Amino acid sequence: MPIELKDLKIPVWIYDIDNYCIHWANQPALVLWESDSLEELCSREFKSGNSQAVEARVRQYQRAFIESDVSFYENWHFVPKGVPKSVFCQFSGYVIDNSRMALLVQGMPTAKLQHEIQVNLTAMLSDYTADGRLISGNPPFLDAMGHGVSHLQDIIADPAVLKTIHRSLSQSERYEDDVLMSGVGGEHWYHLIAVNVQDDSGKEKILLQQYDIHRRKVSEITLAKEVLTDSLTGLLNRRGLDKKLNEFAISETSFDFFYIDLDGFKIINDSFGHSIGDEVLQTVADRLVENSPESSVICRFGGDEFVMVVTNAAESAGNNCVAKSILADQLVKTLSDSYYHDAQPMALSASVGVAQYPHDTDQLSNIVLYADAAMYQAKRLGKHRWIGYTAGMEQVILRQGVIAQSLSRAQSRGELELYYQPIWDFAQGSDANIISFEALLRWNNNDIPNVTTEEVIQVAESIGIINEIECWVVDQALTDLLHLRVYVSPGVTMSINVSAVHLREPTFPQCISKALQSKNLSFKDLIIELTESTLVENMADSNSVVCQLAQQAINISIDDFGTGYSSLAYLHQIPATVAKIDRSFVGQAEKNIQPLCHIKSLIEAHGMRALIEGVETQEQKDRLISCGITLQQGFFLGRPEPLDYYAKNKITGNCSQ
Ligand code: C2E
Ligand code: MG
Ligand code: MG
């Protein structure tokens, strides 16, 4: 059985637009209208009580209902018999007397609805002459905007918005947007709809409907802000930066892009803890803000990477290249100034890469890549400096990307292999021995030409697979050591290179012990090769993995000795047993052996043995032995070879070359 209108529990009534009276109402509507009977309610006259704005609005509805089958929703305020009422209404068209379009109104409770959609559905209505003078406003309008409003410009503070409204209406379009308006309580967000209507005499006027959307709008704005900012530093995040760069591109604004990466931040984070790390990042952000030209865009790009974008207009007038270099110098200097925690200095510096838009590229998608490539170059040249982009620099990064993709599958495809290079001891004169082998990683890949082991390690570090790879290296090398002891000499040990990244893994010492135990080997069978800078990084913390390894009596060898920046200052602290003099020193052996003799004495004075790598000729070998460097490694004494090579070729531990 169809429900009849009169049986509905919600108030329903039909308003006769043409005659300004209620045509029909159900019982709940009578209660709402404070009426005893339908006759009484239908006898009420609404013409004189309505403002012109409301009248215009109802006429607008009527036209819409004649044209199509639509409904409108609005919060409606009225005051029957002096009692204020607020009802959320659905307005639809309803034909009465077989020809006239009336207003079918259904009322619903509003509080919940308003809360859920965070919009106040009360329609504030006002109408104006074509040039913007107020004619009338309904009570909600007057309550919110004040009784002193006389012109549109009193409530629409931004002249640009007002201009747009007039322009839209003059092109007979409706204007609809969220607008910040001035009212009784100050500035407030409204959803505004402005349309042209005609009054009874056919004169053009403007009808304004506004809905209070302040709460929703403010939370939208806050959310949008959060989406674009970094919560730790309050700087823009990557998304925020993208937005700004797009704006620059649209307005054809040229700019310099400074890509900043902190040197040594990871160590601070690891040794002082993450909350101190966060403080340091905040300090970096503050320094950037304080030292950047006005209107620069500053962004935390990720972890310890920041970006500063300076438009050329903001840079000091004159030669842009000069401005760029002054700014870059300042950046490196300010960001590398001392940082303190509890009066304890923390070593931190910045490496910066600079790319210019559109000078270096007019593609926004390339600007980050180019500046990153320049920054990478700054790192490679020793950090704590800035480098400007030059053509082709990005090839290194692009190649790394290609290597990364392929390398991530290398282990599962069985493409990794170890080669072993012998280390000789000539201390016993002609009765020389192979005392150890260095395990060197090889990647058998057919796709990318000439990938060096250094590149493999670097990429593995950057994509976070180095630990996995090196765990495999440790296990494989110790397994092969058992074979090498059969093929070559029973007393040989194994040297393994370990990356600084892997060394930060707190479980590393346990992994090593477990691997040794599983092969029935002991700590003295293994030597861990660490570069000087890796060792120095670890010395600051007595709980560091290096210190734990030293406590476990695992032999540590300082790799590439002499290439680091701090050999003398820290040498006495490093718990190593051997220092491997870098092969770049070998060439000197043929010219002047003295410096090498000094290096050897220095190493021995610190209780270590000197080993030299990169021996390529008989003469080098002999001269080095003559100055007492008897531990040697190099192509002349044996190239790195796979295990199979030692199985097939009889290489005795004794050498009397
Ligand atoms: P490294 O530890 O200093 O190893 C010595 C490098 O010098 C090896 O290069 C070796 O092949 C090369 N070499 C040895 N003798 C001579 C010589 O007489 N002349 C010349 N010109 N070169 C010689 P390779 O195998 O390309 O390894 C390069 C670097 O890659 C290694 O330097 C080491 O730092 C790193 N590496 C290798 N395997 C691993 C690994 O498993 N983990 C880590 N973290 N790094 C590794
Ligand atoms: Mg090595
Ligand atoms: Mg080396």
Side-chain angles (χ1 to χ4, degrees):
M1 199 176 74
I3 298 175
E4 298 224 0
L5 281 179
K6 65 180 173 43
D7 300 326
L8 284 172
K9 296 270 187 294
I10 55 167
V12 180
W13 66 96
I14 296 166
Y15 180 70
D16 184 342
I17 301 169
D18 304 316
N19 294 316
Y20 308 100
C21 63
I22 287 179
H23 176 77
W24 174 85
N26 68 357
Q27 188 55 37
L30 292 182
V31 176
L32 184 78
W33 282 103
E34 302 283 331
S35 178
D36 300 335
S37 67
L38 188 59
E39 291 71 36
E40 187 278 322
L41 185 60
C42 292
S43 68
R44 289 188 200 174
E45 184 273 324
F46 288 88
K47 184 169 184 162
S48 46
N50 280 350
S51 66
Q52 286 192 42
V54 171
E55 167 69 22
R57 162 65 156 220
V58 171
R59 287 284 176 201
Q60 206 194 2
Y61 280 171
Q62 189 182 38
R63 277 195 297 278
F65 298 143
I66 292 168
E67 276 167 24
S68 63
D69 186 18
V70 286
S71 292
F72 298 97
Y73 299 86
E74 234 168 60
N75 214 24
W76 206 255
H77 291 263
F78 49 99
V79 195
K81 296 197 171 159
V83 184
K85 303 274 168 102
S86 165
V87 186
F88 180 66
C89 300
Q90 179 183 358
F91 299 101
S92 332
Y94 191 89
V95 178
I96 52 173
D97 302 339
N98 286 328
S99 60
R100 292 185 305 110
M101 186 58 79
L103 199 63
L104 172 66
V105 191
Q106 302 172 57
M108 311 170 194
T110 66
K112 189 166 180 289
L113 253 168
Q114 286 188 185
H115 179 73
E116 274 170 14
I117 59 175
Q118 294 195 13
V119 175
N120 189 331
L121 292 156
T122 302
M124 295 168 199
L125 303 173
S126 50
D127 58 349
Y128 305 81
T129 57
D131 60 355
R133 273 176 294 115
L134 180 79
I135 302 168
S136 70
N138 71 350
F141 173 85
L142 296 172
D143 287 349
M145 311 310 283
H147 289 263
V149 178
S150 64
H151 198 277
L152 264 179
Q153 70 197 25
D154 297 340
I155 51 170
I156 297 171
D158 185 349
V161 173
L162 196 58
K163 229 166 131 186
T164 313
I165 294 175
H166 280 301
R167 199 180 44 238
S168 306
L169 295 179
S170 70
Q171 291 162 356
S172 56
E173 286 169 14
R174 97 203 216 113
Y175 172 90
E176 181 164 359
D177 209 347
D178 296 343
V179 176
L180 193 62
M181 298 174 76
S182 327
V184 175
E187 291 199 321
H188 209 80
W189 280 100
Y190 291 94
H191 184 71
L192 193 71
I193 302 166
V195 285
N196 283 322
V197 290
Q198 286 183 345
D199 67 9
D200 292 343
S201 59
K203 230 178 177 177
E204 284 278 323
K205 58 180 186 172
I206 300 167
L207 176 67
L208 226 64
Q209 304 161 42
Q210 60 191 87
Y211 299 87
D212 184 350
I213 53 158
H214 193 71
R215 258 177 63 198
R216 191 198 70 198
K217 192 75 184 174
V218 168
S219 60
E220 265 175 25
I221 292 170
T222 318
L223 206 72
K225 228 173 152 187
E226 276 170 13
V227 168
L228 300 178
T229 43
D230 168 54
S231 56
L232 175 69
T233 58
L235 299 178
L236 289 183
N237 60 16
R238 218 178 256 226
R239 215 178 274 134
L241 177 71
D242 280 351
K243 193 166 170 276
K244 286 281 178 194
L245 294 185
N246 277 315
E247 286 168 16
F248 287 152
I250 289 165
S251 59
E252 295 184 357
T253 306
S254 55
F255 59 81
D256 290 345
F257 189 101
F258 299 79
Y259 194 114
I260 304 152
D261 189 285
L262 302 177
D263 313 317
F265 176 74
K266 185 93 183 83
I267 305 159
I268 292 183
N269 222 15
D270 290 348
S271 47
F272 289 87
H274 287 255
S275 62
I276 304 297
D278 283 356
E279 275 176 31
V280 170
L281 292 175
Q282 278 160 339
T283 311
V284 169
D286 292 345
R287 288 188 191 179
L288 273 172
V289 173
E290 280 162 23
N291 292 284
S292 54
E294 217 174 296
S295 78
S296 310
V297 173
I298 303 171
C299 154
R300 179 168 171 221
F301 201 69
D304 61 347
E305 290 169 0
F306 293 82
V307 164
M308 182 173 91
V309 180
V310 185
T311 62
N312 292 163
E315 283 180 349
S316 47
N319 187 334
N320 181 32
C321 281
V322 174
K324 177 190 85 175
S325 63
I326 293 171
L327 275 172
D329 279 340
Q330 270 173 6
L331 256 187
V332 173
K333 190 171 171 300
T334 13
L335 297 183
S336 307
D337 249 8
S338 316
Y339 294 76
Y340 291 94
H341 171 61
D342 285 345
Q344 196 183 340
M346 295 183 277
L348 199 68
S349 60
S351 296
V352 180
V354 191
Q356 299 181 291
Y357 175 92
H359 178 270
D360 293 330
T361 172
D362 58 3
Q363 301 294 308
L364 277 189
S365 52
N366 280 343
I367 199 83
V368 178
L369 172 69
Y370 287 14
D372 185 16
M375 189 276 289
Y376 182 73
Q377 185 69 6
K379 291 262 184 205
R380 288 220 298 200
L381 293 176
K383 306 175 180 172
H384 193 170
R385 68 193 63 219
W386 71 271
I387 297 285
Y389 170 81
T390 52
M393 255 183 195
E394 73 281 8
Q395 292 310 324
V396 182
I397 303 232
L398 292 174
R399 179 178 158 90
Q400 284 194 340
V402 178
I403 294 176
Q405 273 200 343
S406 201
L407 184 64
S408 57
R409 296 187 294 265
Q411 209 174 349
S412 59
R413 288 178 177 173
E415 293 171 353
L416 299 181
E417 195 185 358
L418 288 180
Y419 273 39
Y420 299 99
Q421 187 178 28
I423 295 169
W424 290 85
D425 187 355
F426 296 104
Q428 309 300 322
S430 61
D431 204 14
N433 290 320
I434 291 176
I435 55 158
S436 192
F437 283 94
E438 178 174 9
L440 294 159
L441 186 66
R442 295 291 177 264
W443 178 28
N444 300 316
N445 112 84
N446 298 322
D447 308 333
I448 313 159
N450 309 322
V451 182
T452 65
T453 302
E454 273 108 341
E455 274 182 297
V456 171
I457 300 299
Q458 226 166 51
V459 172
E461 284 179 347
S462 70
I463 61 172
I465 57 169
I466 188 73
N467 296 6
E468 212 180 304
I469 290 181
E470 283 187 351
C471 283
W472 172 82
V473 169
V474 171
D475 199 70
Q476 190 62 49
L478 291 180
T479 305
D480 292 349
L481 174 63
L482 301 177
H483 295 291
L484 287 167
R485 284 184 166 178
V486 176
Y487 304 151
V488 181
S489 167
V492 289
T493 57
M494 183 58 74
S495 254
I496 290 169
N497 296 284
V498 175
S499 131
V501 174
H502 193 187
L503 209 66
R504 288 190 200 115
E505 179 69 49
T507 55
F508 179 73
Q510 287 96 295
C511 275
I512 295 282
S513 331
K514 249 168 110 181
L516 284 167
Q517 267 169 23
S518 71
K519 314 264 174 319
N520 262 335
L521 291 166
S522 69
F523 291 135
K524 65 175 174 35
D525 298 318
L526 181 67
I527 298 147
I528 295 210
E529 294 195 11
L530 299 167
T531 61
E532 219 173 312
S533 33
T534 306
L535 282 159
V536 171
E537 277 171 26
N538 273 265
M539 291 317 3
D541 179 8
S542 57
N543 287 323
S544 70
V545 169
V546 170
C547 296
Q548 289 180 44
L549 290 174
Q551 279 156 18
Q552 286 183 355
I554 290 183
N555 292 309
I556 293 172
S557 188
I558 311 175
D559 207 351
D560 307 339
F561 183 79
T563 56
Y565 52 87
S566 52
S567 39
L568 288 179
Y570 287 87
L571 204 51
H572 65 282
Q573 289 184 31
I574 296 177
T577 48
V578 170
K580 286 181 87 168
I581 303 168
D582 190 70
R583 68 166 184 266
S584 55
F585 290 87
V586 175
Q588 278 192 12
E590 285 158 357
K591 296 176 212 140
N592 178 8
I593 197 76
Q594 270 314 307
L596 272 165
C597 295
H598 290 311
I599 295 177
K600 179 217 159 219
S601 307
L602 179 81
I603 291 170
E604 288 179 352
H606 287 85
M608 293 180 272
R609 285 193 73 187
L611 185 160
I612 191 142
E613 50 186 344
V615 178
E616 290 183 347
T617 63
Q618 174 83 49
E619 191 189 352
Q620 287 169 354
K621 176 201 148 200
D622 293 342
R623 297 201 66 157
L624 288 160
I625 292 176
S626 73
C627 91
I629 305 179
T630 53
L631 290 181
Q632 296 188 7
Q633 179 183 359
F635 289 171
F636 177 68
L637 302 164
R639 287 181 175 264
E641 301 286 358
L643 180 68
D644 208 30
Y645 172 88
Y646 296 100
K648 289 181 183 149
N649 297 282
K650 199 79 204 125
I651 300 183
T652 59
N654 289 328
C655 170
S656 40
Q657 296 179 62

